[in-house]
Amino acid sequence: MKEFWGRLGYYPVGIVDAVGHKGGIWFLSANLKFSCKILWAMNQCVTLEIDGGGRRWICSAVYGSPQATTRVELWSHLLDIGLCIQDPWVVVGDFNDILSVHEVKGGNYYSTRSSVFASTLDSCGLFDLTTSGRRFTWFQAFVEVLSRSHSDHCPLLIRCQEVPIKKENRPFRFQAAWATHPDYKAIVQKSWNSTDFGIHRKLLGVQEASLEFNSTVFGNIFIKKRELEAYLNCIQQKMEADDDPILKHKEEELRAEYNLVLAQE
C-alpha cells in the first residue's frame, strides 16, 4: 500500500493497521514542506501535530467503531486530547455516530447515543464545520462532501482559506492519456510526416498537433473529471430522497465514464 500511495505522490505519516476487515486508518501527506508528528494513536484515532505555512495545528483522523460500547473508548480518548492541547484542532473522519435525526436515512436513531456524541464534542470545544464555519476564529473553513466512486463512503474535503493560484506559462508536457484515444496515433503520424526539416521541427509539429487535438477532440480530462464529479454528486443527492431505478442506472453510467477518466488521468 505504501508503494501504491507513493506513486500517487503521497507518503504515510501515521498508520493504524486494520484488524482483518475491521478498522484501519491511513494518515497521508502530499506536502513535504509540512512537518507532521504523531502525538497519539489508538485503534479508532490517529492524532498529528502539523507545522507549516506559518501555522501549527492539530489534526485527528477518526474511524469510530460500529459497536457503541467500543466507541466509548474513542469519546474518552478525544476528551483526554482536548485537555492536553492549546493549538487549533480539527477532527475528521467516520465517527459511526450522528448528532441529529436529520443526519440518518433508512436506519435507526438513538437519542441517547446522539447526546453522548454531542456532549463529547462540546466538552472538547469542537463544533460542526458544516454549520459553524464562520465561527472558526483561526481561519475560515468548511467541509465539502464529494461524490463517491469505489467506496460506500463519500470523501470529505475540508477547504481552508482559499489561496489564489498564479497562472504562468507552462512548458509543453505530453499527456499519456492522449494515447488512450484511438485517433491520436494517426494524428502523430500525420504531423511527423508533414515536414522534412529535421527532428526538432518534427517534434514542434507533433506538439502543436497534440495541443490542437487536446483542445478540439480529447478535451481537458481534468475539466471532464470535475464535471463528472459534479454530475455524479447531483445524482447521488437525488438518490438520497428518491429510489428511482432510472437514477440508479444513470449513476452506474456516470461511474463507468468516471472510471475511464480516472484511468486516463
Side-chain angles (χ1 to χ4, degrees):
M1 285 296 292
K2 290 182 180 179
E3 182 182 351
F4 169 79
W5 287 113
R7 290 198 301 268
L8 297 180
Y10 295 91
Y11 65 96
V13 291
I15 299 176
V16 172
D17 288 322
V19 179
H21 294 288
K22 297 181 179 179
I25 301 172
W26 278 62
F27 203 121
L28 308 169
S29 176
N31 194 331
L32 294 172
K33 296 180 180 179
F34 280 38
S35 169
C36 300
K37 180 175 70 175
I38 298 178
L39 299 179
W40 300 279
M42 51 104 63
N43 59 351
Q44 301 180 68
C45 181
V46 178
T47 299
L48 281 84
E49 177 186 82
I50 302 173
D51 196 339
R55 180 183 294 118
R56 185 176 66 186
W57 52 291
I58 309 298
C59 182
S60 295
V62 168
Y63 190 7
S65 170
Q67 298 178 334
T69 53
T70 307
R71 279 200 304 278
V72 173
E73 300 173 10
L74 173 62
W75 305 151
S76 177
H77 181 72
L78 291 176
L79 287 170
D80 289 342
I81 293 176
L83 294 173
C84 296
I85 61 174
Q86 298 294 325
D87 293 312
W89 182 27
V90 61
V91 184
V92 63
D94 182 1
F95 294 88
N96 256 316
D97 224 327
I98 56 177
L99 288 173
S100 71
V101 67
H102 304 293
E103 295 180 354
V104 64
K105 176 191 175 187
N108 297 320
Y109 171 70
Y110 301 97
S111 59
T112 303
R113 296 180 189 174
S114 177
S115 297
V116 172
F117 185 24
S119 176
T120 301
L121 296 183
D122 187 58
S123 298
C124 291
L126 298 168
F127 49 84
D128 190 350
L129 281 179
T130 55
T131 57
S132 303
R134 284 177 291 179
R135 288 171 47 202
F136 216 25
T137 56
W138 48 294
F139 58 93
Q140 292 293 318
F142 66 91
V143 176
E144 182 179 354
V145 180
L146 306 178
S147 58
R148 64 185 185 277
S149 56
H150 297 84
S151 172
D152 58 356
H153 285 57
C154 293
L156 301 176
L157 174 62
I158 299 180
R159 291 189 178 274
C160 304
Q161 194 170 15
E162 296 291 339
V163 178
I165 300 175
K166 183 179 180 180
K167 293 185 178 180
E168 299 177 347
N169 293 328
R170 297 180 179 179
F172 174 75
R173 292 288 185 268
F174 172 79
Q175 294 191 38
W178 293 334
T180 65
H181 195 286
D183 296 340
Y184 184 65
K185 182 178 180 180
I187 288 174
V188 172
Q189 289 177 332
K190 180 180 179 180
S191 178
W192 185 266
N193 295 328
S194 65
T195 180
D196 296 323
F197 293 100
I199 297 295
H200 181 68
R201 186 63 191 90
K202 287 177 178 289
L203 289 173
L204 286 177
V206 171
Q207 172 182 325
E208 293 169 359
S210 296
L211 293 175
E212 178 68 16
F213 166 79
N214 187 66
S215 175
T216 61
V217 180
F218 189 80
N220 190 315
I221 59 174
F222 306 109
I223 294 177
K224 282 186 178 180
K225 179 183 174 182
R226 289 196 295 269
E227 291 176 345
L228 283 170
E229 286 174 339
Y231 199 3
L232 190 57
N233 187 54
C234 179
I235 291 292
Q236 289 174 351
Q237 286 182 354
K238 291 180 179 178
M239 289 173 63
E240 291 179 356
D242 187 352
D243 294 326
D244 188 342
I246 296 178
L247 291 176
K248 180 63 177 176
H249 179 68
K250 186 61 179 177
E251 185 201 26
E252 292 175 354
E253 290 183 341
L254 288 171
R255 283 196 185 194
E257 190 174 354
Y258 185 65
N259 286 338
L260 175 60
V261 170
L262 289 180
Q264 293 171 340
E265 181 185 27

